[in-house]
Amino acid sequence: MKLNILNKNGFETGRFFKIKNDSLKEKKNNIIYLEIKRYFSAQRQGTNKSKERSEITGSTKKIQRQKGSGNARKGNIKNPLFRSGGRIFGPKPKKFNFKLNKLLKVLAKKLLIYFKIKKNKVKILEDFFLKKKKTFLIKKLITTLNLEKKKLLIIINNNKKDKNFFIASRNLKLLNVISIEELNIFYLANSDYLIFFESVFKKLFNIK
């Protein structure tokens, strides 16, 4: 499969990347599911907490005598059976995330990008920097690529020179611009089209 490299105006440069079909195996698509599940599990805070009997502030004095009243035995006012008493088997803080090997995380990202490439939903831009923080420059590029009204994800390098590109894109609702260090499975799965800078794509797929 060939991926054409486009210039900053969205036109073909005549250069391309060649992606081998055997480079990633489709049989391992279960990894994508596991990585997405791990990502969403890690987002859960798990901070729910209710107080048990020993954690409530209150008197420990016995409410009534043990025998002779004709009623059931009662301890102190912190009894879970009373109003504002402790809670039995209430929620406690816990972690929902689980571990996935680093190699599997990287492979899940590559697999998802590979599937997007097969559907022609990946674009490669040659490296360039915006001299001005102007949104219309990015909007013009999106229009040239015929990607209006599509969820877009642009992956850039984490350089100081890329700051203008990031700032200029903030007013566009359907566009996310992130650095390669921030790239995760959720961003990839939640986008209709992926746009990589040339150097970023090389770094991700170890292309020299």
Side-chain angles (χ1 to χ4, degrees):
M1 291 187 295
K2 290 183 179 179
L3 272 176
N4 291 316
I5 299 172
L6 311 175
N7 60 21
K8 62 181 180 181
N9 298 316
F11 300 110
E12 293 184 7
T13 59
R15 298 185 297 118
F16 57 86
F17 286 125
K18 219 172 187 179
I19 307 295
K20 292 182 180 180
N21 291 336
D22 300 331
S23 59
L24 296 167
K25 295 180 181 178
E26 296 180 45
K27 295 178 182 178
K28 296 182 179 179
N29 54 6
N30 185 47
I31 297 171
I32 297 174
Y33 162 75
L34 288 175
E35 173 58 7
I36 290 175
K37 184 179 178 182
R38 184 206 64 79
Y39 175 83
F40 281 112
S41 297
Q43 305 309 304
R44 296 183 67 178
Q45 292 185 340
T47 54
N48 293 343
K49 176 73 172 71
S50 63
K51 290 186 177 181
E52 296 182 352
R53 185 170 184 166
S54 62
E55 297 171 311
I56 290 177
T57 302
S59 173
T60 57
K61 182 181 178 182
K62 193 169 174 66
I63 296 171
Q64 64 181 39
R65 59 183 183 174
Q66 181 81 349
K67 296 182 179 180
S69 65
N71 298 317
R73 292 173 292 181
K74 295 182 177 69
N76 56 44
I77 201 170
K78 296 191 284 183
N79 191 322
L81 300 178
F82 294 153
R83 184 185 177 89
S84 72
R87 185 172 176 183
I88 305 171
F89 304 126
K92 295 180 180 180
K94 62 180 288 188
K95 293 181 180 179
F96 292 94
N97 60 324
F98 58 90
K99 186 179 177 182
L100 205 62
N101 291 338
K102 188 176 180 180
L103 288 175
L104 289 180
K105 291 180 187 178
V106 174
L107 184 58
K109 291 177 191 175
K110 287 183 177 180
L111 277 170
L112 195 48
I113 294 169
Y114 178 66
F115 294 145
K116 298 265 188 185
I117 291 172
K118 286 185 73 176
K119 293 181 180 180
N120 294 320
K121 292 190 174 182
V122 175
K123 306 287 184 184
I124 309 292
L125 292 175
E126 65 179 4
D127 294 344
F128 68 91
F129 304 107
L130 291 182
K131 295 180 180 179
K132 298 179 181 179
K133 304 168 186 176
K134 298 294 182 181
T135 304
F136 80 89
L137 294 172
I138 298 177
K139 205 168 182 179
K140 185 180 177 182
L141 173 63
I142 294 171
T143 304
T144 307
L145 296 173
N146 294 321
L147 297 178
E148 302 97 328
K149 297 182 180 179
K150 301 286 185 183
K151 276 188 178 180
L152 303 178
L153 177 66
I154 299 180
I155 302 97
I156 62 176
N157 285 299
N158 196 11
N159 296 330
K160 291 181 179 178
K161 293 180 180 179
D162 290 319
K163 191 175 180 181
N164 288 350
F165 196 97
F166 177 75
I167 293 172
S169 65
R170 288 189 299 188
N171 289 333
L172 300 174
K173 288 185 179 179
L174 295 175
L175 175 64
N176 279 323
V177 177
I178 60 171
S179 66
I180 188 171
E181 287 81 11
E182 298 172 307
L183 185 63
N184 60 52
I185 200 76
F186 174 73
Y187 280 121
L188 292 172
N190 196 40
S191 303
D192 296 328
Y193 283 83
L194 307 177
I195 301 174
F196 290 92
F197 273 23
E198 184 180 350
S199 58
V200 173
F201 193 81
K202 282 182 177 179
K203 193 182 295 181
L204 197 61
F205 283 89
N206 298 319
I207 299 173
K208 295 181 181 179

